[in-house]
Amino acid sequence: MSSFSAGDDGSAAGLDRRAELSEFLRSRRARLKPADVGLADYGRRRRVPGLRREELAQVAGVSVSYYTQLEQGNSGNVSVEVLDSIARALQLTETEQAYLAHLAKPTRKRPSKPSPRTQRLRPAIQQLLDTMTDVPAYVNGFRMDILGWNRTAAALFGNWAELPPEERNWGRLIYLSPAMRDLFIDWERKAGAIAGILRMHAGSHPEDPQLASLVGELSVRSEAFRQFWTAHEVRRKSHGVLRFNHPLVGELTLSYETFPLLDDPDQTLVTYHAEPGSESATALRLLASWGTDATTPVG
C-alpha cells in the first residue's frame, strides 16, 4: 500500500501522514504478543497477528476508542504524554518514537504543488572532503542524495562524477545498480538500512515531492525495496561495520561513522576507516593511492 498522496498532475506530492500513521501503528502492534507486554494469553485463536487494539490501549493506559481513532490516522491534538505512553506500550525504539511524533503532528495546509527543497553542499565542506585523503568520505542529503565526496570514496564506491546528478542517490544505487549488489557483501542489510532511513526522512519531510517521487520510483522498479518499505522499519544512520568485496583489492571490513552538519542537520558527513594494522587497512591505503584510477562502474 502506498502512503503517498498525488498532486494535481498525478505526480507524488508527499507522504500521506494519516495513512502512514495508521499503517505504522498497526505494523508495530502486530509484532507484539501478549506475553511481550505482561498480559496473559489464554490460547484462544487470534484473528489478527500481534496485540489486539484493546490490549494495546490497556497497556498504554488510554481508552480503546481513543487509540482506535489514533490508529485510524486521526491524531488531532494528541498530547506528547499520550504519544509517549503508546510508544512505551509498543516498545518503540528511540528512532521509531521520533518518527511517530513526526507523523502525529497536526497537518498544515500545504500548497497544491509543494516546491522541492534544493540541497547544496557548502564549498568549505567539499574542501574538507578533499583533504581527507586516507579515508572514504561523502555527504548525504535527506533524500539520500550524494552531495559531495572525495577521491577515496570514488575509489571504493565508484566514480559518482560519471553519473547524472539525479542518479547520485543511495536509494537508486543500492536497489537499481548491479555493481552495488556485488560490492556490498551484506547487501540485504545495507538495502534494509537505506529503506529505513528513507522512511525516517519521509516522516520528517512529508511534503517533499522529490522524496515521494523517489520512493514511488523504487517501489515500481524494485521488488526488494517494496518488501523493505512495507515492513515499516525506521532507522537513522549512525555507526557500524560493513563488509565489501572490491573488484581490485578484494574483501574489506570498514567501520563507518556519521556526523550531522550543524548548519544543516539534514546533511550528514559519512566516513569509513579500517582497523589499524589489518589487511583492510592495507587495501584501503592502496585504494587511496590509486584514487579515481581505481574506480569501477557504478551503474
Side-chain angles (χ1 to χ4, degrees):
M1 178 183 295
S2 173
S3 296
F4 288 88
S5 57
D8 295 337
D9 59 356
S11 61
L15 185 75
D16 185 338
R17 185 177 283 159
R18 288 187 55 171
E20 180 59 24
L21 176 61
S22 177
E23 293 170 18
F24 180 69
L25 287 173
R26 285 201 300 267
S27 72
R28 301 306 87 177
R29 179 166 57 86
R31 69 182 180 180
L32 293 175
K33 298 180 176 64
D36 296 331
V37 295
L39 297 178
D41 186 352
Y42 299 104
R44 293 174 297 176
R45 185 175 180 181
R46 305 178 74 86
R47 291 179 298 173
V48 294
L51 292 178
R52 299 185 178 96
R53 284 177 176 172
E54 57 266 27
E55 292 170 330
L56 194 283
Q58 176 185 342
V59 175
V62 299
S63 70
V64 177
S65 61
Y66 187 98
Y67 177 75
T68 299
Q69 288 185 32
L70 186 63
E71 195 173 279
Q72 290 173 345
N74 301 314
S75 58
N77 294 318
V78 61
S79 69
V80 174
E81 291 76 16
V82 168
L83 281 180
D84 287 345
S85 295
I86 291 173
R88 286 193 297 270
L90 290 170
Q91 300 180 8
L92 301 186
T93 65
E94 183 179 343
T95 299
E96 289 172 332
Q97 189 168 353
Y99 183 67
L100 175 61
H102 283 304
L103 295 178
K105 286 179 179 178
T107 304
R108 295 179 290 107
K109 184 178 180 180
R110 61 191 180 193
S112 59
K113 192 170 184 180
S115 299
R117 175 185 167 192
T118 301
Q119 286 198 293
R120 293 185 176 87
L121 192 67
R122 284 194 293 116
I125 299 299
Q126 183 60 59
Q127 293 169 9
L128 173 64
L129 290 171
D130 292 338
T131 65
M132 302 169 69
T133 57
D134 295 332
V135 298
Y138 57 83
V139 172
N140 280 335
F142 71 85
R143 303 181 189 99
M144 297 304 289
D145 292 322
I146 302 162
L147 306 177
W149 62 92
N150 63 9
R151 293 175 71 250
T152 311
L156 176 62
F157 297 108
N159 191 0
W160 291 320
E162 296 177 352
L163 296 176
E166 63 273 13
E167 297 299 321
R168 300 171 196 162
N169 175 277
W170 274 114
R172 292 189 177 97
L173 288 170
I174 288 298
Y175 285 100
L176 305 180
S177 168
M180 290 295 102
R181 280 184 177 262
D182 294 337
L183 179 64
F184 286 91
I185 293 176
D186 302 314
W187 180 86
E188 287 196 0
R189 177 186 165 201
K190 178 67 174 179
I194 292 297
I197 294 168
L198 283 173
R199 183 171 282 284
M200 182 68 192
H201 289 316
S204 302
H205 302 274
E207 298 174 8
D208 185 79
Q210 289 184 358
L211 182 53
S213 179
L214 172 65
V215 171
E217 175 190 350
L218 295 177
S219 297
V220 170
R221 300 179 64 185
S222 171
E223 172 65 25
F225 180 81
R226 288 196 297 274
Q227 293 178 0
F228 281 118
W229 187 257
T230 56
H232 287 269
E233 296 296 331
V234 183
R235 303 188 190 182
R236 294 184 194 271
K237 188 174 180 67
S238 56
H239 58 84
V241 177
L242 286 173
R243 297 186 302 141
F244 302 87
N245 185 19
H246 196 279
L248 297 182
V249 298
E251 263 193 50
L252 301 96
T253 300
L254 302 178
S255 299
Y256 64 86
E257 299 286 343
T258 305
F259 308 93
L261 302 185
L262 292 181
D263 62 340
D264 186 350
D266 284 332
Q267 294 188 21
T268 54
L269 169 65
V270 185
T271 65
Y272 291 77
H273 69 277
E275 182 180 351
S278 64
E279 292 183 2
S280 294
T282 301
L284 189 57
R285 282 196 299 271
L286 184 58
L287 279 178
S289 68
W290 285 341
T292 53
D293 291 337
T295 57
T296 56
V298 292

